Amino acid sequence: RDLCMENEVRIYGVAFIGGLVAFFSPILLMLYVIMASVLLDCITAIIQSMEAYKVDETKPYKLWQRRKAIRSRGLRKTALKLILYVLFIGLIYSTEIAIFNTSVYITNFTAFVIVFSELISIAENLDKLMNTHKFTFLIVRIRKLFEKRLMQEMQGTDIEEEVKGTNELEDEQLKFNKENLKTKNNET
């Protein structure tokens, strides 16, 4: 009797796990992209902090000294962020299915916002690492183009207006470069 009950629990457990995997299979790729962006952000943050860490030049093994730049608090925050993102996307997807009986792109939009915020963080880490502002500017430019495109879709305007807007982006890039020059001059 105990053996039969134990097998029954295993069968139901496997069926439950299989049902969860089948239910969340449409968003698995989305979850993989979120995980990859969080891990890439973690890696760039570690490299940036190790590069910025002050080492004692008199001692050997400088790379071994830089290991102190990696804090367990930062890695813990990354792990927590990863878990919360996955749970949040899963919750939104489940809510969408429960209410609308299909995905109505709320999950996609939320995942886009999460990945875009991670891309901003990656760009900031790369900018600090390479002492430049090109990556952040690229992300800002992509965001502006996305916002323009979204506004055009909402207003139903023509795409030809986007060509007129490229001068605005060039003006914005000049303004961005001037501000960065001022901050660099103030730092020195």
Side-chain angles (χ1 to χ4, degrees):
R1 180 166 164 90
D2 288 337
L3 184 61
C4 183
M5 189 172 199
E6 190 176 306
N7 284 340
E8 200 171 297
V9 169
R10 284 185 188 160
I11 290 170
Y12 286 131
V14 169
F16 178 74
I17 299 292
L20 282 178
V21 169
F23 179 75
F24 290 111
S25 65
I27 62 168
L28 279 180
L29 181 62
M30 190 182 311
L31 293 175
Y32 292 148
V33 170
I34 289 172
M35 287 184 227
S37 64
V38 169
L39 291 176
L40 189 61
D41 178 36
C42 179
I43 290 168
T44 57
I46 288 171
I47 292 170
Q48 186 271 327
S49 64
M50 286 180 74
E51 192 65 31
Y53 188 78
K54 303 290 184 211
V55 296
D56 186 2
E57 296 295 330
T58 61
K59 294 182 180 178
Y61 310 113
K62 291 169 186 46
L63 185 62
W64 183 250
Q65 292 178 37
R66 288 186 176 160
R67 82 187 188 308
K68 295 176 186 173
I70 302 171
R71 305 273 182 207
S72 63
R73 180 183 59 225
L75 294 175
R76 190 171 37 246
K77 283 171 53 177
T78 299
L80 181 64
K81 181 169 54 170
L82 187 61
I83 291 168
L84 288 176
Y85 282 167
V86 169
L87 288 176
F88 187 61
I89 291 294
L91 180 68
I92 288 176
Y93 179 73
S94 301
T95 305
E96 263 188 313
I97 296 299
I99 293 174
F100 302 111
N101 214 15
T102 185
S103 180
V104 291
Y105 302 110
I106 298 171
T107 307
N108 295 352
F109 179 74
T110 306
F112 173 77
V113 169
I114 290 171
V115 170
F116 197 78
S117 69
E118 291 300 314
L119 286 177
I120 290 172
S121 180
I122 292 167
E124 288 171 350
N125 290 335
L126 290 174
D127 282 343
K128 287 178 187 175
L129 186 64
M130 297 180 185
N131 201 14
T132 183
H133 294 283
K134 292 180 180 181
F135 294 103
T136 307
F137 179 75
L138 179 66
I139 295 295
V140 168
R141 188 169 181 174
I142 290 170
R143 190 195 83 215
K144 293 282 184 186
L145 286 173
F146 177 75
E147 287 173 356
K148 266 190 171 190
R149 184 71 170 177
L150 186 62
M151 291 306 289
Q152 287 174 351
E153 289 292 325
M154 290 172 62
Q155 296 172 351
T157 56
D158 198 8
I159 295 177
E160 291 177 10
E161 291 180 21
E162 186 176 325
V163 176
K164 294 177 187 174
T166 55
N167 292 335
E168 294 173 14
L169 286 173
E170 290 170 0
D171 293 341
E172 195 173 313
Q173 183 175 11
L174 288 172
K175 182 180 165 186
F176 188 80
N177 289 339
K178 287 178 185 177
E179 289 174 6
N180 288 331
L181 241 153
K182 287 179 187 177
T183 56
K184 283 183 181 178
N185 290 337
N186 290 340
E187 290 174 358
T188 57

